[in-house]
Amino acid sequence: SERSREAVVDALLDLYEQGEVRPRAAEVAARAGVSERSVFRHFDDMEALAAAAIERHWARVEPWFAAPDRSGDLHERIAALVAQRVTLHERVMFVARAGAIIAASSPTVTAGLAERRTLLGRQVTHHFAHELAPLDRATRIEVARCLDAGLSLEAVEFLRGASGLSRTATVAALTRTATAL
């Protein structure tokens, strides 16, 4: 029973990673090798399954969310944060894409995404605390938010996907953005 529950969660994550952002229970069941009824034996609804998938995905990707090294000069710290964000994007992009679409109709996914965004935003503020400290409060908040937006997974996705930049070109563009800010 526990193995089939795990298989259902893994199947949903696999479908997300393959670009299927709203798989039906029948698709999840087929991928997991269980009956559709088994999906709902383990989960009350697709929202509960999504919640379990978020928890499982977080366990898999949590190390990639770790704050990068804050030692070194400004350019070294920018390089560390940019490298972390680009690598993080590579690890979570397919599930993040699904999450962004599902969030409109899923309070569970919305809450999970908000929690991760808050974590990444705090990282930016801490990472550049020395540079932000001399600014007045309003400017400090504005600059921190701009840095967060400029280094966000959405920015990486735009540069890699919509703009078609290579990893190297994306790193260079994000580095220029953070340096300018």
Side-chain angles (χ1 to χ4, degrees):
S1 180
E2 185 60 30
R3 277 196 305 242
S4 66
R5 183 182 196 287
E6 298 296 317
V8 169
V9 172
D10 287 339
L12 179 59
L13 287 172
D14 288 346
L15 289 164
Y16 286 164
E17 288 174 1
Q18 292 179 353
E20 180 60 53
V21 296
R22 292 188 188 271
R24 296 183 328 270
E27 293 170 289
V28 173
R31 173 64 57 99
V34 300
S35 69
E36 188 172 347
R37 187 175 182 167
S38 290
V39 171
F40 295 111
R41 189 174 309 124
H42 296 292
F43 301 98
D44 292 336
D45 53 27
M46 292 301 284
E47 180 74 7
L49 174 54
I54 288 170
E55 186 176 320
R56 169 79 54 75
H57 185 64
W58 176 245
R60 289 178 180 171
V61 301
E62 184 177 13
W64 304 110
F65 278 85
D69 185 9
R70 289 178 41 198
S71 65
D73 67 19
L74 177 60
H75 296 291
E76 291 168 330
R77 287 183 289 120
I78 288 172
L81 189 59
V82 167
Q84 180 236 18
R85 296 300 164 90
V86 172
T87 300
L88 176 60
H89 175 267
E90 291 168 346
R91 302 289 185 208
V92 304
M93 73 176 172
F94 294 112
V95 175
R97 283 179 190 155
I101 292 168
I102 296 165
S105 62
S106 172
T108 301
V109 173
T110 299
L113 290 175
E115 190 177 308
R116 302 313 177 260
R117 284 189 184 115
T118 298
L119 169 71
L120 295 175
R122 286 186 182 140
Q123 281 180 5
V124 167
T125 302
H126 291 218
H127 205 71
F128 299 114
H130 178 74
E131 290 76 21
L132 295 170
L135 304 174
D136 64 81
R137 184 179 191 285
T139 304
R140 185 171 54 249
I141 291 168
E142 178 184 314
V143 172
R145 286 182 179 159
C146 288
L147 280 163
D148 189 28
L151 298 171
S152 68
L153 296 181
E154 292 84 0
V156 177
E157 176 66 16
F158 175 79
L159 293 170
R160 293 298 309 267
S163 297
L165 296 182
S166 67
R167 184 183 208 282
T168 302
T170 298
V171 167
L174 294 173
T175 300
R176 275 192 291 283
T177 299
T179 303
L181 286 167

